[in-house]
Amino acid sequence: MTVKTRLTNIALAALLTALGTTTALADSSQARYDVRLIGAKVGEMAMASNETASAYSTRARFATTGAVSALKRASFDLSAKGRKSGNRLVPTRYSEVTSEGRRSTNLKIAFSGGVATRVTGDTGSSAPAVNPRSLPGAYDPLTALYAALRDQAPSELCSLNSDVYDGHRHARLSLTSRKALGGGRIQCSGQYRRIAGYSERELRHSTAPVSIIYVPKGNAMRADTVIVRTRYGKVSMHRR
């Protein structure tokens, strides 16, 4: 299993080009996360986003750091953009550039009417692909990550339940269990579940529990800590 699969598809299982044009009165945000595996820092992720009443664009970059980087360099650069229908995100474009040692990928997905209509590049899987027409309204991997990590009103938290399509595979990200913590913090819990388009080996470990802790930031709640429990151990993201 590749680093890209572990951190992109799992940490959103989660663990995740220039921003698209924005209009006036855009809500812009930037965030940096330390990514840890079983407590040890393995990399850093930076995420920048713009959102208006009718559209959104977001970009995430990850790279290994420290001792892990000395052993194996890996990185990804993801971008997504789309429109909004109420509070629902509707992707129109997704791109993914990854590098892992001698292997690199450059994947692009185009959406129309909430359905992926064109996939170009290497999806990194030899398993039978999912028909995207069976997944209307599915999020691409980065849109799913953004939906989970963007600033939200307290009343909107813990309501994410979305199909995820990465150009080949079908998964589902759900964060529907809510728990109030001290200091006004809220924890949303759920799971990332692989459904189809994966190999038999990948489906042996099809479910990864996910939880996100949000902290108050003005009138909104901000994602502070992400925890994903995988068969390799606990993967966590901590906002700086």
Side-chain angles (χ1 to χ4, degrees):
M1 179 178 291
T2 67
V3 170
K4 174 244 182 178
T5 300
R6 291 176 191 143
L7 296 181
T8 306
N9 290 343
I10 292 179
L12 239 116
L15 288 158
L16 96 188
T17 61
L19 286 172
T21 32
T22 59
T23 58
L25 303 180
D27 179 12
S28 303
S29 65
Q30 296 187 11
R32 290 185 177 274
Y33 294 87
D34 289 334
V35 181
R36 299 180 178 274
L37 174 62
I38 322 177
K41 184 176 177 179
V42 296
E44 297 176 356
M45 189 184 85
M47 193 169 187
S49 309
N50 278 277
E51 186 173 327
T52 70
S54 60
Y56 74 96
S57 60
T58 182
R59 182 185 185 186
R61 288 175 167 177
F62 168 85
T64 51
T65 58
V68 173
S69 182
L71 294 173
K72 189 176 184 75
R73 290 184 179 274
S75 64
F76 66 66
D77 189 339
L78 314 179
S79 66
K81 63 187 301 185
R83 58 185 178 83
K84 292 175 63 181
S85 177
N87 196 45
R88 178 77 181 176
L89 305 175
V90 183
T92 56
R93 298 281 178 183
Y94 169 75
S95 70
E96 168 188 304
V97 178
T98 69
S99 176
E100 183 188 351
R102 297 178 180 177
R103 184 176 183 273
S104 61
T105 64
N106 191 333
L107 176 70
K108 297 182 185 299
I109 306 175
F111 295 81
S112 178
V115 177
T117 56
R118 185 179 181 186
V119 178
T120 58
D122 180 12
T123 61
S125 177
S126 59
V130 171
N131 182 354
R133 295 188 179 279
S134 68
L135 298 172
Y139 284 166
D140 61 78
L142 183 55
T143 294
L145 184 63
Y146 175 61
L149 298 185
R150 63 176 172 161
D151 291 358
Q152 301 172 65
S155 61
E156 296 172 348
L157 291 179
C158 309
S159 60
L160 179 60
N161 189 23
S162 179
D163 291 312
V164 182
Y165 176 67
D166 71 352
H168 189 102
R169 310 165 186 82
H170 172 205
R172 175 168 283 273
L173 175 63
S174 61
L175 289 167
T176 56
S177 177
R178 184 183 183 113
K179 181 179 180 180
L181 304 177
R185 297 175 301 156
I186 295 174
Q187 177 177 292
C188 298
S189 300
Q191 64 180 14
Y192 184 82
R193 183 166 64 91
R194 297 169 175 169
I195 298 174
Y198 296 88
S199 67
E200 291 184 6
R201 180 179 179 183
E202 290 171 325
L203 288 175
R204 291 174 192 165
H205 305 277
S206 62
T207 302
V210 180
S211 63
I212 302 179
I213 296 175
Y214 300 84
V215 300
K217 183 66 175 181
N219 295 325
M221 300 296 292
R222 175 162 291 182
D224 183 70
T225 304
V226 181
I227 298 174
V228 184
R229 299 192 181 278
T230 77
R231 70 188 185 99
Y232 301 99
K234 184 175 75 172
V235 176
S236 59
M237 293 168 51
H238 304 269
R239 190 163 185 160
R240 294 183 181 179

